[in-house]
Structure formats: C-alpha cells, structure tokens
Amino acid sequence: RYVAYVGNNPVDLRNGIKANQIPNLRFVAEPEANFKEEVPKDARYRVKRAEVILGRGTTGVQRLNATNENPDLRAWSSQARPGDKIIIDIKDVVRRTYQDEEEKVAVTGSNGIINIPIN
C-alpha cells in the first residue's frame, strides 16, 4: 500500500493539504502489517520512480519524474490553488530482501495512484 505524508503525518486524502505543505510532501510504499511482523528484514520497500502531477481541472499544470520518495516540490507551493490536486503515480517499487538484494515489486492498475486535494 502507498501512503503520502506531510512530515511524519499521513495525509488525510479526504481533506487534503494546504499549498504551503507541498514542499514537505513525501510518499512511501508500506508493507502489510502481518508481513512486516513476520519477516521484517524482507519488508523493506522503497519507491524508485513516480510521476508527480499538479493538476487543475483536467489539465496538468506541472509534472515531475521523481526518482525517490522525497521529490523537490518547493516551487509548486506558490503555483497551487485551492481546488487543485496532486496526483502521485507510482511506477517502480523495490523490496530489499534479507540478503540485501533488491527485488522489483509489481505496481498494478490504480493501486499506485494517490490523489491529494489542495485546499
């Protein structure tokens, strides 16, 4: 499952975030709780690639190809307006195994999409 955070707080996808919180936005791939408890050394996930879009209506105002979970979105906070949204489309995720090898994880359909309203 994929979760967006502002700082250490999960984003409430119903209420969204304010434009001034955009620079602190990050997203992570979190393992399921029972998997993390059973095999914690196998439950280390990382987002390697995502497309981040600042959307207004049906138009993309800004696009960024992120290569980690903490993209630099500082410039977006002055452009974002209430009613806009940030769409995070997660493309590539890896899982580090107990042998410290990276294993690619399939991201299917809309599972990798996070929609965050700007208020």
Side-chain angles (χ1 to χ4, degrees):
R1 103 185 163 109
Y2 306 104
V3 181
Y5 287 88
V6 170
N8 292 322
N9 301 316
V11 171
D12 177 343
L13 298 179
R14 189 167 300 185
N15 294 318
I17 62 173
K18 297 189 180 329
N20 66 356
Q21 294 176 300
I22 293 172
N24 300 318
L25 189 63
R26 65 186 179 90
F27 43 88
V28 297
E30 292 188 344
E32 292 190 23
N34 61 348
F35 183 65
K36 188 176 182 177
E37 286 173 23
E38 304 266 325
V39 283
K41 287 189 172 178
D42 270 335
R44 298 175 291 166
Y45 289 85
R46 205 168 88 238
V47 175
K48 294 277 271 200
R49 191 170 66 88
E51 184 178 22
V52 186
I53 302 162
L54 173 61
R56 181 167 299 141
T58 58
T59 311
V61 178
Q62 290 286 350
R63 286 180 185 272
L64 176 84
N65 283 315
T67 54
N68 61 48
E69 299 168 338
N70 299 297
D72 184 358
L73 303 174
R74 287 176 296 194
W76 291 16
S77 58
S78 61
Q79 296 175 337
R81 300 197 288 238
D84 288 356
K85 59 187 173 264
I86 292 190
I87 301 136
I88 302 166
D89 186 356
I90 295 172
K91 305 283 191 186
D92 292 325
V93 175
V94 293
R95 179 176 69 87
R96 190 164 289 282
T97 68
Y98 70 97
Q99 296 173 319
D100 262 356
E101 294 170 356
E102 280 191 357
E103 187 177 275
K104 194 169 175 168
V105 177
V107 181
T108 56
S110 61
N111 290 344
I113 296 177
I114 305 171
N115 271 303
I116 304 168
I118 307 294
N119 55 41

